[in-house]
Amino acid sequence: MKLIRSRLGVRLFLSFLVVILLGMAVLFLTTVFTLPRAYQSHLLFMEEQVGSGMMGQGQGQGMGMGRGQGNGQGGGMMGDFYRNFQASFNESLWVAAGVATLAAVGASLLISRSIVAPLREMMNASQRIAEGRYEERVQVTSADELGQLAARFNQMAAQLEQVESMRRQLIGDVAHELRTPLTAIKGSMEGLIDGVLPAEDETYEQIHREADRLNRLVDDLQELSRVESGAYPLDIHSVDASALVGTVLKRLGFQFDEKGVTLTSSLPPSPLRIRADEDRIVQVLTNLVGNALHYTPAGGSVTVSIQPMNDMVQFAVRDTGIGIPAAHLPRIFDRFYRVDKSRSRARGGSGIGLTIAKRLVEAHGGQLWVESDGEGKGSTFFFTLPLTK
């Protein structure tokens, strides 16, 4: 019983065998109850066709035999004939049943193996994946449900492999990002201890800047963890989209004036109310507008606009900055991904602000994407949020 419960192939084989035996039992019982009546009916028809006295006598015997068979009795030549016929029929029936059983058992074994084999392959592959071998795949040999299951299994394995690759990359990126400010702090402290660096305000300010950068990175990592896991509250209510843009423009206006970059807005004449968490969307806009300022040289411009689109409101942050090459557009929202392969933080933040912004927009039921005509041609970040119903 334990073997039956633990082996799918055995259960499939036994289920086929039960169907075979049930069919044989039904066939046998059907012939037992229907053969006498069918024999009597055909015999009467033959007697009517012949119509001779001899057959008339045979008809009486046949009817008597039929009644006798119906009562479990029989006699005479026709009774012997019927018993011999029934015996030959049963013999042929048993031979046919035996041959059919052998054929059915063989077919059941082949079918069971054809079903169990791909399942066993997926089981073994899943065990290897559980051991960390994420490159494992199973062969798709059919287009039926088992083939579709194998295809979905391969898709799952590919996603797990991608997640593992991203995890390893994240660990490396975090280590790199932490090492940069820590190395600077350690070097400055060693210089102070050895007397190489003067104990002046400038030296301490440099150490403080590096420590502040390290603190911001840790805060961003913590924020990213909360956002990606959904462990943060959203106070969603009706908000005026234009008011959000105005808040961000006032907050960053001084920085734009200081760098010499023009900051403008294009807002609709009538208010557009959206369903959003005001603080979170201001955070998204601040990140996008701040990035636009950072990558737009002096003399350039940044424009923030909003417009309705069906049941959504589309925000756009358009700049005339350095642009984004087409090859980098699909990965611009990845953690720590930077177009600048030098990975210098002198020209950027922690590298996860866009990742956080994308997750926040998606948590509101919207989408965030970027478009750029190429390097040196500026870029535009779009995101959508649902209108208040």
Side-chain angles (χ1 to χ4, degrees), residues 262-280:
T262 303
L263 177 61
T264 60
S265 62
S266 176
L267 307 177
S270 58
L272 290 175
R273 303 198 67 83
I274 58 175
R275 296 181 62 255
D277 184 321
E278 182 176 357
D279 294 336
R280 293 296 185 176

Side-chain angles (χ1 to χ4, degrees), residues 94-383:
W94 282 110
V95 173
V99 175
T101 300
L102 292 177
V105 168
S108 299
L109 289 174
L110 292 176
I111 295 174
S112 299
R113 290 179 180 178
S114 66
I115 295 176
V116 173
L119 294 178
R120 183 177 292 112
E121 182 182 1
M122 281 186 279
M123 180 186 67
N124 295 333
S126 64
Q127 178 62 35
R128 291 189 290 269
I129 290 176
E131 296 171 355
R133 298 167 57 182
Y134 296 99
E135 72 281 358
E136 285 291 331
R137 299 294 185 273
V138 297
Q139 185 177 4
V140 181
T141 58
S142 63
D144 56 8
E145 286 80 0
L146 286 175
Q148 295 174 14
L149 178 61
R152 296 295 185 274
F153 181 90
N154 289 339
Q155 182 180 4
M156 178 196 68
Q159 291 177 350
L160 289 175
E161 184 178 14
Q162 182 180 7
V163 169
E164 176 63 15
S165 176
M166 292 177 63
R167 185 188 68 83
R168 293 175 180 175
Q169 182 180 354
L170 176 61
I171 293 175
D173 290 337
V174 170
H176 176 87
E177 300 302 328
L178 293 176
R179 185 182 298 113
T180 302
L182 286 175
T183 300
I185 293 173
K186 180 180 179 182
S188 298
M189 294 303 298
E190 289 177 351
L192 287 172
I193 294 173
D194 296 338
V196 177
L197 291 178
E200 299 176 351
D201 292 342
E202 182 180 356
T203 303
Y204 294 119
E205 288 177 359
Q206 179 182 356
I207 296 175
H208 182 271
R209 284 195 299 270
E210 295 298 334
D212 188 56
R213 184 196 305 182
L214 182 62
N215 185 70
R216 289 198 307 269
L217 175 60
V218 173
D219 289 342
D220 288 342
L221 288 172
Q222 188 177 20
E223 177 75 4
L224 177 62
S225 175
R226 288 196 300 263
V227 168
E228 290 190 332
S229 63
Y232 60 93
L234 284 179
D235 182 18
I236 296 180
H237 56 276
S238 179
V239 182
D240 184 4
S242 298
L244 299 180
V245 174
T247 300
V248 175
L249 266 58
K250 290 180 181 179
R251 179 179 298 179
L252 300 178
F254 176 77
Q255 299 179 27
F256 276 82
D257 294 338
E258 188 178 28
K259 188 175 181 179
V261 177
T262 303
L263 177 61
T264 60
S265 62
S266 176
L267 307 177
S270 58
L272 290 175
R273 303 198 67 83
I274 58 175
R275 296 181 62 255
D277 184 321
E278 182 176 357
D279 294 336
R280 293 296 185 176
I281 299 306
V282 167
Q283 178 183 350
V284 172
L285 281 170
T286 301
N287 182 276
L288 298 180
V289 176
N291 278 349
L293 170 64
H294 200 83
Y295 293 104
T296 301
S301 63
V302 175
T303 302
V304 183
S305 63
I306 58 175
Q307 62 178 349
M309 292 184 60
N310 299 326
D311 58 344
M312 308 290 284
V313 172
Q314 177 180 279
F315 293 74
V317 179
R318 183 175 288 103
D319 64 65
T320 59
I322 62 175
I324 304 172
H328 298 279
L329 289 176
R331 298 195 58 192
I332 199 67
F333 296 102
D334 291 352
R335 308 183 194 95
F336 297 107
Y337 186 79
R338 296 176 61 84
V339 177
D340 183 9
K341 296 302 181 182
S342 66
R343 303 169 62 90
S344 172
R345 291 299 163 214
R347 299 188 58 195
S350 63
I352 57 179
L354 289 177
T355 306
I356 295 174
K358 183 176 177 64
R359 296 294 189 272
L360 288 174
V361 170
E362 291 174 348
H364 283 77
Q367 291 182 330
L368 172 61
W369 70 97
V370 61
E371 295 178 3
S372 178
D373 293 331
E375 191 171 358
K377 298 182 179 180
S379 58
T380 305
F381 284 83
F382 300 92
F383 71 91

Side-chain angles (χ1 to χ4, degrees), residues 65-119:
M65 180 277 299
R67 290 188 294 269
Q69 290 294 332
N71 297 323
Q73 301 174 354
M77 182 180 66
M78 295 307 295
D80 293 338
F81 176 76
Y82 172 74
R83 282 189 290 272
N84 291 329
F85 166 74
Q86 188 178 37
S88 61
F89 178 82
N90 290 338
E91 182 179 350
S92 299
L93 182 62
W94 282 110
V95 173
V99 175
T101 300
L102 292 177
V105 168
S108 299
L109 289 174
L110 292 176
I111 295 174
S112 299
R113 290 179 180 178
S114 66
I115 295 176
V116 173
L119 294 178

